[in-house]
Amino acid sequence: MLHDVRAIIAEILDTASDPQVLQIEPETALIDDLGLESIDLVTIGGMLTERYGDRVNLAAFLAAQDIDQVIAMTVGSLVNFVVGSAGGDHDPER
């Protein structure tokens, strides 16, 4: 799952061929470290839903968070959300 999330982030950042993307770790902050904006989170949500189905609804998840939690969201917390929503039969490290 981590690999999949990295690939999606790389696509959003238009850095799919950049080896530095591989250095994205679970503790990497989506907004502070990667500079993602709210529209990027919407795009990520759509890509995750397309890949894993309607159970992975990032928009609903983010709507339930306060602004500080959204700003502090890390790659690892995104992976955990996807694994939990998709049904746990996915490998978080993949």
Side-chain angles (χ1 to χ4, degrees), residues 10-34:
E11 188 173 334
I12 298 297
L13 296 174
D14 196 26
T15 59
S17 62
D18 186 348
Q20 196 166 7
V21 168
L22 298 175
Q23 296 178 15
I24 294 174
E25 299 298 331
E27 60 275 358
T28 303
L30 297 175
I31 294 174
D32 287 343
D33 295 333
L34 298 177

Side-chain angles (χ1 to χ4, degrees), residues 44-60:
I44 289 170
M47 294 171 81
L48 290 170
T49 298
E50 185 176 303
R51 179 170 280 183
Y52 298 106
D54 291 335
R55 293 180 296 175
V56 180
N57 187 336
L58 184 60

Side-chain angles (χ1 to χ4, degrees), residues 8 13 18 26-27 50 55-56 72 75 77-79 82-83 85 88:
I8 288 170
L13 296 174
D18 186 348
E27 60 275 358
E50 185 176 303
R55 293 180 296 175
V56 180
V75 172
S77 59
L78 179 58
V79 168
V82 175
V83 169
S85 297

